[in-house]
Coordinates of all heavy atoms in Angstrom, one line a residue:
M1 N 15.5 10.7 -10.7 CA 15.6 11.2 -9.3 C 14.2 11.1 -8.7 O 13.1 11.3 -9.4 CB 16.1 12.6 -9.3 CG 16.2 13.2 -8.0 SD 16.7 14.9 -7.9 CE 18.4 14.6 -7.7
L4 N 11.9 11.7 -1.5 CA 11.3 10.9 -0.4 C 11.0 11.9 0.6 O 11.7 12.6 1.2 CB 12.4 9.9 0.0 CG 12.2 9.2 1.4 CD1 11.0 8.3 1.3 CD2 13.4 8.4 1.8
D9 N 5.1 11.6 12.4 CA 4.1 10.9 13.3 C 3.1 9.9 12.6 O 2.0 9.7 13.1 CB 3.2 11.9 14.0 CG 2.4 12.8 13.1 OD1 2.5 12.6 11.8 OD2 1.6 13.6 13.6
D13 N -2.0 13.1 6.9 CA -3.1 14.0 6.8 C -3.1 15.3 7.7 O -3.9 16.1 7.6 CB -4.4 13.3 7.1 CG -4.7 12.1 6.2 OD1 -4.3 12.4 4.9 OD2 -5.2 11.1 6.4
V14 N -2.1 15.2 8.7 CA -2.1 16.4 9.6 C -1.4 17.6 8.9 O -0.2 17.4 8.4 CB -1.2 16.0 10.9 CG1 -1.2 17.2 11.8 CG2 -1.9 14.8 11.6
V20 N 10.6 15.7 6.5 CA 12.0 15.5 6.1 C 12.0 15.1 4.6 O 11.3 14.1 4.3 CB 12.7 14.6 6.9 CG1 14.3 14.6 6.5 CG2 12.7 15.0 8.4
P25 N 18.7 9.1 -5.8 CA 18.9 8.9 -7.3 C 18.0 7.8 -7.9 O 17.6 7.8 -9.0 CB 20.4 8.5 -7.4 CG 20.8 8.0 -6.0 CD 19.9 8.8 -5.1
S29 N 16.6 3.0 -3.6 CA 17.2 3.4 -2.5 C 16.3 4.3 -1.6 O 16.4 4.3 -0.4 CB 18.5 4.4 -2.9 OG 18.0 5.5 -3.7
I31 N 13.1 3.6 -1.3 CA 12.3 2.7 -0.6 C 13.0 2.0 0.7 O 12.4 2.0 1.7 CB 11.7 1.5 -1.5 CG1 10.7 2.2 -2.5 CG2 11.2 0.3 -0.7 CD1 10.4 1.1 -3.6
G34 N 13.0 4.7 3.4 CA 11.7 4.8 3.9 C 11.3 3.8 4.9 O 10.7 3.9 5.9
Q35 N 11.6 2.5 4.4 CA 11.4 1.4 5.3 C 12.2 1.3 6.5 O 11.6 1.0 7.6 CB 11.7 0.0 4.5 CG 10.7 -0.2 3.3 CD 9.4 -0.6 3.7 OE1 8.5 0.2 4.0 NE2 9.1 -1.9 3.5
I46 N 10.1 11.9 -10.0 CA 10.1 13.0 -10.9 C 10.0 12.6 -12.4 O 9.3 13.4 -13.2 CB 11.4 13.9 -10.7 CG1 11.4 14.4 -9.3 CG2 11.4 14.9 -11.7 CD1 12.6 15.1 -8.9
I52 N 4.2 7.4 -4.7 CA 4.0 6.0 -4.2 C 4.2 6.2 -2.6 O 5.2 6.9 -2.2 CB 5.1 5.0 -4.7 CG1 5.1 4.9 -6.2 CG2 4.9 3.7 -4.1 CD1 6.3 4.3 -6.8
D53 N 3.3 5.6 -1.9 CA 3.4 5.8 -0.4 C 3.7 4.5 0.3 O 3.7 3.4 -0.4 CB 2.3 6.4 0.2 CG 1.0 5.7 0.0 OD1 1.0 4.6 -0.6 OD2 -0.1 6.1 0.5
R54 N 3.9 4.5 1.6 CA 4.2 3.2 2.3 C 3.2 2.3 2.2 O 3.4 1.1 2.1 CB 4.4 3.7 3.8 CG 4.7 2.5 4.6 CD 4.9 2.9 6.1 NE 3.7 3.0 6.7 CZ 3.4 3.2 8.0 NH1 4.4 3.3 8.8 NH2 2.2 3.3 8.4
E56 N 1.1 1.6 -0.2 CA 1.2 0.9 -1.5 C 2.3 -0.1 -1.6 O 2.1 -1.2 -2.1 CB 1.3 1.9 -2.6 CG 1.2 1.4 -4.0 CD 1.3 2.4 -5.1 OE1 1.1 3.6 -4.8 OE2 1.5 2.0 -6.3
E62 N -4.8 -9.5 -1.1 CA -5.7 -10.3 -0.1 C -6.7 -11.1 -1.0 O -7.1 -10.6 -2.0 CB -6.4 -9.4 0.9 CG -5.4 -8.7 1.8 CD -6.1 -8.1 3.1 OE1 -7.3 -8.5 3.3 OE2 -5.4 -7.3 3.7
E64 N -10.3 -12.3 -2.1 CA -11.5 -11.7 -2.3 C -12.5 -12.3 -1.5 O -12.6 -13.4 -1.3 CB -11.9 -11.5 -3.8 CG -10.9 -10.7 -4.6 CD -11.5 -10.5 -6.0 OE1 -12.7 -10.5 -6.2 OE2 -10.6 -10.4 -6.9
W65 N -13.6 -11.5 -1.0 CA -14.7 -12.0 -0.3 C -15.9 -11.9 -1.1 O -16.1 -11.1 -1.9 CB -14.7 -11.1 1.0 CG -13.6 -11.4 2.0 CD1 -12.4 -10.8 1.9 CD2 -13.7 -12.1 3.1 NE1 -11.6 -11.3 3.0 CE2 -12.4 -12.1 3.7 CE3 -14.6 -13.0 3.7 CZ2 -12.0 -12.7 4.9 CZ3 -14.3 -13.6 5.0 CH2 -13.0 -13.6 5.5
Y66 N -16.8 -12.7 -0.7 CA -18.2 -12.7 -1.3 C -19.2 -13.0 -0.2 O -18.8 -13.6 0.7 CB -18.3 -13.6 -2.5 CG -18.3 -15.0 -2.2 CD1 -19.6 -15.7 -2.0 CD2 -17.1 -15.8 -1.9 CE1 -19.5 -17.1 -1.7 CE2 -17.1 -17.1 -1.6 CZ -18.3 -17.7 -1.5 OH -18.3 -19.1 -1.1
Y67 N -20.5 -12.6 -0.5 CA -21.5 -12.8 0.5 C -22.3 -14.0 0.0 O -22.9 -13.9 -1.0 CB -22.3 -11.5 0.7 CG -23.3 -11.6 1.8 CD1 -22.8 -11.6 3.1 CD2 -24.7 -11.8 1.6 CE1 -23.8 -11.7 4.2 CE2 -25.5 -11.9 2.8 CZ -25.1 -11.8 4.0 OH -26.0 -12.0 5.0
D68 N -22.4 -15.0 0.9 CA -23.2 -16.2 0.5 C -24.6 -15.9 1.1 O -24.8 -15.9 2.2 CB -22.6 -17.4 1.2 CG -23.3 -18.7 0.7 OD1 -24.4 -18.6 0.3 OD2 -22.7 -19.7 1.1
E71 N -26.2 -19.0 3.3 CA -25.7 -19.1 4.6 C -25.7 -17.7 5.4 O -25.4 -17.8 6.6 CB -24.4 -19.7 4.7 CG -24.3 -21.1 4.2 CD -23.0 -21.9 4.2 OE1 -22.3 -21.4 5.2 OE2 -22.8 -22.7 3.5
K75 N -17.6 -15.0 2.9 CA -16.7 -16.0 2.8 C -15.6 -15.6 1.8 O -15.8 -14.7 1.0 CB -17.3 -17.3 2.1 CG -18.4 -17.9 3.0 CD -19.0 -19.2 2.4 CE -20.0 -19.8 3.3 NZ -20.5 -21.1 2.6
R78 N -11.8 -19.4 -2.8 CA -10.8 -20.3 -2.9 C -10.3 -20.4 -4.3 O -11.0 -20.2 -5.1 CB -11.2 -21.6 -2.3 CG -11.6 -21.7 -0.8 CD -11.9 -23.1 -0.4 NE -12.7 -23.8 -1.3 CZ -13.9 -24.2 -1.0 NH1 -14.5 -23.9 0.1 NH2 -14.6 -24.9 -1.9
D81 N -12.6 -22.5 -6.3 CA -13.8 -21.9 -6.6 C -13.6 -21.1 -8.0 O -14.7 -21.0 -8.8 CB -14.3 -20.8 -5.6 CG -14.7 -21.6 -4.4 OD1 -15.0 -22.8 -4.4 OD2 -14.8 -20.9 -3.3
E84 N -14.0 -23.4 -11.2 CA -15.2 -24.1 -11.4 C -15.8 -23.9 -12.8 O -16.4 -24.8 -13.4 CB -16.3 -23.8 -10.3 CG -16.0 -24.5 -9.0 CD -17.0 -24.2 -8.0 OE1 -18.1 -23.6 -8.3 OE2 -16.9 -24.6 -6.9

Side-chain angles (χ1 to χ4, degrees):
M1 178 181 270
L4 169 65
D9 64 352
D13 296 330
V14 177
V20 180
S29 64
I31 291 172
Q35 293 288 80
I46 296 172
I52 304 167
D53 65 355
R54 181 182 76 171
E56 183 176 350
E62 295 192 17
E64 291 190 31
W65 290 79
Y66 69 97
Y67 189 73
D68 187 346
E71 296 183 26
K75 295 182 176 182
R78 295 187 314 249
D81 292 342
E84 282 183 6

